[in-house]
Every structure is written in C-alpha cells, then in structure tokens.
Amino acid sequence: AKQQQSSLLQYYGDRSAEDPTTSTQSSECGDSAPSPPQSTEGQANSMESILHDIHQTNSWIEERISEIKSSITSMDKKMEAYAKRLDEAEHRVGNTEDSMHSLETTVQQLQEAVVKLQDKMDDLENRSRRCNLRLVGLPEGEEGRDPVSFLESWLPSLLNLPELTSKLEVERAHQAFPPRIRNIDKPRMLLFKLLSYRDKETILRQAHKLGALTFNNKPVYIFPDMSVELFQKRKSFFGVKRLCKDLDIPFALLFPARLRIDFKGQRLFFTSPLDAENHIKMASLPEESPPSPKEQQP
C-alpha cells in the first residue's frame, strides 16, 4: 500500500510539474501577476485525500462484492436444496404414476370380476327360484294351517288339470312379505315351490290359457317367482314382444332374459330389447324398387 501511495504521489507530482497551464496563462497575459507555485506539502495532502477517497471507495466496493458473493452462495445452496427436492418430487411422482397404473389395472380387473360374480349370483338366485310360483289374490286364511296340502288339492281344480290331482307335489309354501296388518283387506302373496319343474311350466301355461282366474268371485293370479333385477330385465322386453305380436313374428322369452325370434327364415337371439326392436324395424322396411324406364327419362 505504501509503494502504491508513493507511486501515485510521484505520478501526480510529475503531472503537476509538467502541467503548462500556469506558464501558458502567464505568457498570454503579460500584465497579470504570476500565481504562486503550490508547495510540495499541499500537493502531498491533496494526493493523500484522493488516495483516502479511493481507498474508501475500494473498501465499499469490496464490501458490496462480498455481500453479493455471500448472497450468490446462499442462493446456490438454496438452488441445490430445491434441485434435490425437485428430484425427490419427480421420483415420487414417477412412483405414484406407476402405482396408479398398477392400481387402475387392478381396479379394472376387480370390476370385471365383480360383474362376473354378480352375473353368477343372479343366475344362481334365479335358478333357485325356477320351481317357485307366486299366488296373488287368495283370501287370507283360505290355505289353513297346511298350505302345502291345500295347494296340492286346490290348484288342479282351479286350473282344470285333473291329471295333476294325484301327482302334484308342492315342496313348501309360505306367506311372503311382512305379517298381515289388521283392518286391511289386501291379502298377502303366497309363495310356493313345486318339486317338478314340468309341473310349474304346466301350471303357468294353463293359467295363461285360461286367462282370468277367480276364487269365491275374487280374481287370483299366478306368476313365476324371480328376483327384482330379472323381473325388470324381462319387463323391458314388453314393447318388443308387443311388436312381434303385431307383426306375427314367432318369439320366446328364454331364461333368464333372452329373446328368441324366428324372423325371415333365421333364428335370432337378443339380450337387449332395443337391439331386437331396431333389427325388426329395419328388416321390416320395404325394399326400394328400381325406378322404371319412364322415370329415368329426363
């Protein structure tokens, strides 16, 4: 620092000695009095003040640079921390996406399995009801304490089926739904199971053939027993069955809910009533005949 100060003093001393301002001004203005030359001590003081200012400026700049460096260092550390956290987040997001893909596949498989199991459960439930019949409208208490014996002797006479008098076998019978409420003249449904599926089909065909059935001047009805879901599925075919009857198309509603039609020499099966209806309507449209030669002339 001392060498720098001495070199600066020497530099500014030499510059002041070589400065021709004073001699030029005195030569141009001969009458003016020459200014007294500055002393070496004054020049040294001015140089020292300049060096002091420069030193203070350098110190201030160095402090600011150190502050900037410390700020940059802190920012670098933060950026490194953020970069690590970002890498961890990307890694976790990647693992989550892989897990989600695996879970989606598992959920899809489970949904398919649930649908299959639901179909199997519905099939088992409805097959367990295949020999069941529902009797609606029978006055309360007419069956007595032994509804099985009552049905075995009463159904053949009601349906005019003497061949079933001795061989009709009812496995069990009971009243359906909650106990009967007093002061209400609406009898409960009687649910019974036949031992033979053929007897069940014979009873349903004969009930359909006879139409209205009565007991003591009150209507009674016989229906097949099925689950609510299957009943709704079979009920959805009501419109297309009506269409088949109007068009004189042979059809049959198979178990559990499948429509079979014999249409234009083909035997077709449908599980959707909308598909069956659209097929019948489209196939029943008249074919467009080719235009006559007169119509083709301009």
Side-chain angles (χ1 to χ4, degrees), residues 160-175:
N160 194 17
L161 293 173
E163 65 273 12
L164 291 180
T165 303
S166 59
K167 69 173 186 177
L168 181 63
E169 296 184 21
V170 178
E171 186 174 350
R172 58 179 179 269
H174 61 85
Q175 296 286 352

Side-chain angles (χ1 to χ4, degrees), residues 3 5 89 94 116 120 135 140 187 190 215 238:
Q3 292 178 358
Q5 291 179 1
K116 292 180 180 179
K120 287 183 178 180
L135 180 61
E140 197 78 27
L190 185 65
F215 178 77
F238 179 78

Side-chain angles (χ1 to χ4, degrees), residues 106-121:
T106 304
V107 169
Q108 184 178 1
Q109 294 175 352
L110 291 176
Q111 288 177 344
E112 294 175 355
V114 167
V115 171
K116 292 180 180 179
L117 292 175
Q118 185 69 37
D119 293 339
K120 287 183 178 180
M121 186 188 70

Side-chain angles (χ1 to χ4, degrees), residues 134-145:
R134 297 190 180 196
L135 180 61
V136 181
L138 183 69
E140 197 78 27
E142 291 292 335
E143 72 279 5
R145 295 187 177 182

